[in-house]
Amino acid sequence: MGKEFRGTVREAPDFDPSADAETLYNAMKGIGSDKEAILDLVTNRSNAQRQEIVKAYKSSYGKDLIDDLKYELTGKFERLIVSLMRPSPYHDAKEIHDALKGAGTDEKCLIEILASRNNQQILDLVEAYKDAYGSDLEEDIIGDTSGHFKKMLIVLLQGTREEPGVVYPELVDEDAQALFEAGEAQWGTEESIFIMLLGNRSVSHLQMVFDKYQEIAEKPIEDSIKSELSGDFERLMLAIVQCIRSVPMYFAKRLYKSMKGLGTQDNTLIRIMISRSEIDMLDIRECFRMRYEKSLYNMIKEDTSGDYKRTLLALCGGDDDLAGEFFPEAAQLAYKMWEISAMTKVQLRPTIRPAEDYDPADDAQNLRKAMKGFGTDEDTIINIVANRSNEQRQEIRQAFKSLLGRDLMKDLKSELSKNLERLIIGLMLTPADFDAKMMRKAMEGAGTDEHALIEILVTRTNEEIHAMNSAYKHAYKKSLEEALQSDTSGRFCQILTALVQGAREEGPADFDRALVDAQDLADACNEDSDEMQMKFMSILCTRSFPHLRRVFQEFVRCSNKDIEQIIKKEMSGDVKQAMYAIVRSVKNQPNYLADRLYKAMKGVGTDDRALIRIMVSRSEKDLFNIRKEFKETHDCSLHEFIEVETMVGDTSGDYRKTLLMLCGGED
């Protein structure tokens, strides 16, 4: 039995190339062209049929169809239609040729094409390149790239990866061990081992190697690649690993990044929509929806316009209902993602560490000097505060009082203003006082900032929640629980009350109990919404994160659904937000916080309170991890994003400068 067709563009039945050629000719005749007719016809024919239309056009009119289309159409729409008319290998060849020519190389394009194509596609591409440009692709790549990046591209260009299904069971352990010893287990990395194994073994074999690797290293191979390799070589190896795990998921991520972040990368968007429309666009759509909780169709709709948009939507082939059941590959993928999440031991890395050669008395004197007299020396204040750990800042506060008899916090408040003041004061408070203050701010005034309440309570440990509770009581003379109960209501209030107890279980997963919990959640999906919410709350608010990872993994098996989709479809309002935040945080907390930072800066105006809250509270915990996730998801570094997005409101640049120091570097 053949593999089920997973593309969105099929061969047109009753196809007549001469009639199509005439339709296109008429659409371009006279003044102006009928773009609607062109895009309708081109997106409803397979690539093989389009080649026949090109031939028929030449026979009937003695003209080159591609030249005529280029003449009649303009901009991105022209690029898209003309690219659709090329045979697939020639389309790939042109993309690679464009990526290599001129000043600077588009490495991302080289990576995407060479990491994702199978042997036959690569051999066809090499031949098409030779035919179209009269030069040897391997030589051109050698002339344009260098180092390990170049070596790996050359390996991929051979098109000699072992065929899918070829597995050497006796070598799985050995290969995993070899990769571990070439990277994690030694100083420096033995890149040649990575190149040889990842460039030649079959997809099925490498999937087993990656599972074994995870057992040995207690982290997925992606994490090791990120910490061991760098630059284009790192990006290429990550792309290869992602394609070995799931080509559709790799393309879903590439499509998301092409539309997310600063401006749309139209070349990437066009290339992927064309090259996958007859292969696996349905799978890509499913992976996109699973990972980003929105359909690819809607994202294209929001991000593009005009005939260009209409053509892309035709290639996309339809909008996906938000919460459908998984098709088999997606269910396996979701199960696998939770399994990797459950097995990974994440090493949390801060961006701010204690300063060496530090003298609190000295710092106190310098801060006083910076604030004395006319005008304030913001640079000195920022340099001291952003380069000390919180513990050191508390010692400086104490020294300031002992030596100068003054309250440092009051002095800072009177000298600084706006966001810079909020940020510096936030850094000077103890973590518990800062959290308490942030909770208070989220409940103050007319509206409640539910997102802030959820984010704080979901991402703090039991210990941090207890410390925050006593700081709140001390500062505001009432318990945080009472404050939440007077400010929120219903089921949402119950969830927050459960979380503010700081009584979440700790410790590893209990496998047998995880199966029971998963089945309970699956059964609850068939209950009325009130029963369902109660059951979800009783498990999501009390079990340890490692245990919940196992529960969510088994939930896929019990229900053939994804826990995130269920929450989005079956719940609403603040309850949905809270449950969803717990799941995201359990899955990958740095990723959840990276997303919160993105949302705080994206769109009209910056949510500075959220930006300050996360940058301050995570700088000594896991801001480095958050930075990595930000870059991975948005294809733009957190550093770059802060620079661009805080430019508008921050006239002096001091606020931005402090945030960038906390960020701790460019990725």
Side-chain angles (χ1 to χ4, degrees):
M1 214 179 88
K3 193 174 177 333
E4 186 198 348
F5 179 75
R6 299 293 297 166
T8 46
V9 174
R10 295 171 175 274
E11 296 212 324
D14 312 324
F15 165 67
D16 177 350
S18 303
D20 285 351
E22 189 181 346
T23 304
L24 289 173
Y25 180 76
N26 290 332
M28 294 188 279
K29 214 165 63 179
I31 294 169
S33 46
D34 182 351
K35 298 187 180 69
E36 197 83 26
I38 296 172
L39 80 85
D40 274 350
L41 190 144
V42 173
T43 55
N44 283 299
R45 303 293 181 270
S46 70
N47 190 278
Q49 290 175 329
R50 292 181 209 128
Q51 302 321 310
E52 291 185 47
I53 298 171
V54 171
K55 283 186 199 138
Y57 194 90
K58 192 161 255 176
S59 309
S60 302
Y61 306 105
K63 299 171 76 171
D64 186 80
L65 175 56
I66 288 187
D67 288 347
D68 281 5
L69 287 166
K70 280 184 181 168
Y71 179 76
E72 288 291 333
L73 310 175
T74 56
K76 294 179 280 204
F77 178 55
E78 177 238 326
R79 212 180 327 161
L80 180 51
I81 294 290
V82 167
S83 299
L84 279 164
M85 297 308 298
R86 286 196 184 94
S88 302
Y90 284 84
H91 177 236
D92 278 351
K94 182 173 191 322
E95 291 294 303
I96 289 217
H97 186 255
D98 291 351
L100 291 170
K101 75 170 193 221
T105 307
D106 179 356
E107 289 85 4
K108 285 180 182 162
C109 169
L110 296 181
I111 291 170
E112 179 201 298
I113 293 177
L114 294 178
S116 65
R117 303 301 191 252
N118 62 32
N119 289 347
Q120 194 53 55
Q121 289 168 326
I122 293 213
L123 299 174
D124 293 345
L125 149 71
V126 170
E127 204 176 307
Y129 189 92
K130 182 93 180 166
D131 181 48
Y133 305 106
S135 68
D136 182 75
L137 178 51
E138 187 174 320
E139 283 170 24
D140 288 0
I141 282 183
I142 289 172
D144 222 67
T145 57
S146 61
H148 298 299
F149 178 56
K150 173 179 75 179
K151 285 180 206 156
M152 191 68 198
L153 290 176
I154 300 303
V155 169
L156 296 174
L157 262 187
Q158 305 316 303
T160 51
R161 183 182 295 289
E162 284 159 344
E163 290 302 327
V166 176
V167 174
Y168 305 110
E170 70 284 1
L171 290 180
V172 170
D173 289 15
E174 204 177 297
D175 287 351
Q177 194 61 46
L179 286 171
F180 180 67
E181 282 166 14
E184 289 288 338
Q186 64 163 24
W187 284 101
T189 309
E190 185 57 63
E191 287 89 352
S192 59
I193 304 280
F194 277 81
I195 291 173
M196 195 268 294
L197 291 173
L198 267 59
N200 291 289
R201 296 278 196 256
S202 78
V203 169
S204 336
H205 180 85
L206 284 169
Q207 285 171 343
M208 293 167 76
V209 171
F210 295 165
D211 287 348
K212 193 71 200 166
Y213 185 93
Q214 171 106 23
E215 281 174 37
I216 300 170
E218 295 190 316
K219 56 161 94 168
I221 188 148
E222 290 91 330
D223 286 6
S224 297
I225 288 173
K226 285 176 198 168
S227 60
E228 295 293 323
L229 311 177
S230 62
D232 293 322
F233 183 49
E234 175 196 346
R235 278 192 280 276
L236 174 57
M237 296 311 249
L238 282 175
I240 291 168
V241 170
Q242 286 171 352
C243 288
I244 283 157
R245 289 204 190 277
S246 164
V247 170
M249 181 57 88
Y250 170 69
F251 281 117
K253 287 181 186 172
R254 290 280 297 147
L255 283 169
Y256 182 79
K257 286 178 184 177
S258 75
M259 291 181 274
K260 200 77 180 162
L262 309 166
T264 303
Q265 299 161 13
D266 293 292
N267 282 352
T268 306
L269 182 55
I270 291 172
R271 185 171 57 244
I272 298 173
M273 295 304 291
I274 290 176
S275 65
R276 309 315 290 186
S277 59
E278 290 180 54
I279 300 174
D280 53 5
M281 186 55 74
L282 290 175
D283 294 345
I284 292 170
R285 269 169 40 183
E286 183 73 36
C287 290
F288 194 96
R289 187 188 58 131
M290 179 170 90
R291 186 167 175 101
Y292 302 111
E293 296 87 48
K294 69 187 301 183
S295 69
L296 174 59
Y297 191 90
N298 274 324
M299 189 138 180
I300 291 172
K301 212 164 151 182
E302 287 163 16
D303 216 70
T304 58
S305 60
D307 296 313
Y308 175 54
K309 169 168 87 175
R310 283 208 288 278
T311 313
L312 288 171
L313 292 177
L315 295 176
C316 180
D319 192 359
D320 299 291
D321 163 39
L322 242 177
E325 300 221 341
F326 283 134
F327 68 90
E329 286 101 313
Q332 281 167 8
L333 209 60
Y335 189 80
K336 190 89 201 146
M337 276 159 64
W338 281 113
E339 183 175 53
I340 289 171
S341 171
M343 287 172 70
T344 303
K345 282 204 168 26
V346 178
Q347 191 186 353
L348 297 182
R349 295 172 63 186
T351 52
I352 299 288
R353 297 177 186 281
E356 293 169 18
D357 311 324
Y358 136 88
D359 177 352
D362 212 28
D363 282 350
Q365 298 284 10
N366 286 329
L367 284 171
R368 177 70 189 128
K369 212 182 298 173
M371 294 187 279
K372 224 159 109 179
F374 196 68
T376 308
D377 176 0
E378 282 91 356
D379 277 351
T380 298
I381 298 174
I382 293 166
N383 280 325
I384 292 174
V385 175
N387 285 304
R388 305 289 180 268
S389 68
N390 193 277
E391 207 172 298
Q392 291 174 331
R393 293 181 209 127
Q394 302 317 314
E395 290 173 10
I396 297 169
R397 275 175 73 176
Q398 192 52 60
F400 200 87
K401 190 156 249 171
S402 312
L403 296 170
L404 306 160
R406 300 176 68 90
D407 182 338
L408 176 55
M409 299 302 255
K410 279 191 181 142
D411 283 5
L412 286 168
K413 278 183 187 160
S414 70
E415 293 294 327
L416 305 173
S417 64
K418 297 190 192 147
N419 285 325
L420 179 64
E421 179 214 330
R422 285 189 209 139
L423 181 52
I424 295 290
I425 294 294
L427 287 163
M428 292 306 301
L429 289 166
T430 66
D433 286 337
F434 179 67
D435 280 349
K437 184 179 178 183
M438 291 293 106
M439 290 295 281
R440 175 78 169 185
K441 289 273 180 214
M443 293 183 278
E444 242 172 26
T448 305
D449 182 350
E450 291 85 2
H451 282 296
L453 298 177
I454 293 167
E455 174 210 296
I456 295 171
L457 290 174
V458 164
T459 57
R460 302 303 188 257
T461 63
N462 288 343
E463 200 182 331
E464 288 165 340
I465 289 175
H466 295 152
M468 170 173 68
N469 281 329
S470 40
Y472 194 95
K473 182 102 184 180
H474 182 257
Y476 308 110
K477 309 297 175 252
K478 71 189 282 194
S479 80
L480 180 49
E481 188 177 325
E482 288 170 301
L484 287 167
Q485 284 171 348
S486 59
D487 206 68
T488 59
S489 60
R491 181 79 68 231
F492 181 55
C493 174
Q494 289 174 341
I495 294 171
L496 296 181
T497 304
L499 294 173
V500 85
Q501 305 310 310
R504 187 180 286 287
E505 293 166 4
E506 290 172 1
D510 172 338
F511 203 77
D512 293 337
R513 187 167 169 231
L515 294 173
V516 175
D517 284 346
Q519 194 55 60
D520 283 352
L521 289 175
D523 294 343
C525 296
N526 304 317
E527 306 281 346
D528 68 37
S529 92
D530 210 47
E531 287 291 316
M532 178 185 173
Q533 288 180 11
M534 279 304 289
K535 179 48 76 181
F536 269 62
M537 186 179 123
S538 72
I539 292 174
L540 269 63
C541 294
T542 59
R543 309 289 196 262
S544 75
F545 276 22
H547 182 80
L548 285 173
R549 284 185 198 111
R550 282 284 174 210
V551 174
F552 299 156
Q553 183 188 354
E554 292 307 322
F555 180 81
V556 176
R557 194 168 278 175
C558 297
S559 65
N560 192 34
K561 293 187 174 75
D562 181 49
I563 191 97
E564 294 173 72
Q565 296 294 350
I566 288 293
I567 289 170
K568 285 193 96 82
K569 188 182 183 191
E570 302 296 337
M571 300 184 185
S572 61
D574 298 329
V575 172
K576 173 169 91 173
Q577 299 297 349
M579 290 294 179
Y580 187 62
I582 294 172
V583 174
R584 288 285 311 273
S585 205
V586 166
K587 190 181 220 169
N588 180 337
Q589 194 160 287
N591 184 275
Y592 163 68
L593 289 164
D595 195 49
R596 297 278 301 132
L597 280 173
Y598 181 82
K599 289 187 173 130
M601 291 182 277
K602 195 66 190 156
V604 184
T606 301
D607 178 354
D608 291 292
R609 191 172 282 165
L611 181 54
I612 292 170
R613 183 174 63 242
I614 297 170
M615 296 297 286
V616 168
S617 64
R618 308 316 291 191
S619 58
E620 286 182 64
K621 284 194 195 114
D622 55 0
L623 190 52
F624 185 85
N625 307 68
I626 293 168
R627 244 169 61 184
K628 286 286 182 201
E629 292 292 337
F630 194 97
K631 174 87 178 176
E632 168 72 14
T633 309
H634 302 293
D635 223 16
C636 165
S637 70
L638 178 58
H639 193 279
E640 193 183 340
F641 217 72
I642 290 171
E643 260 183 333
V644 174
E645 297 293 337
T646 55
M647 194 84 82
V648 187
D650 180 28
T651 42
S652 69
D654 290 326
Y655 170 54
R656 183 166 72 247
K657 179 181 165 184
T658 316
L659 287 169
L660 292 174
M661 284 171 79
L662 294 179
C663 180
E666 175 64 282
D667 291 297

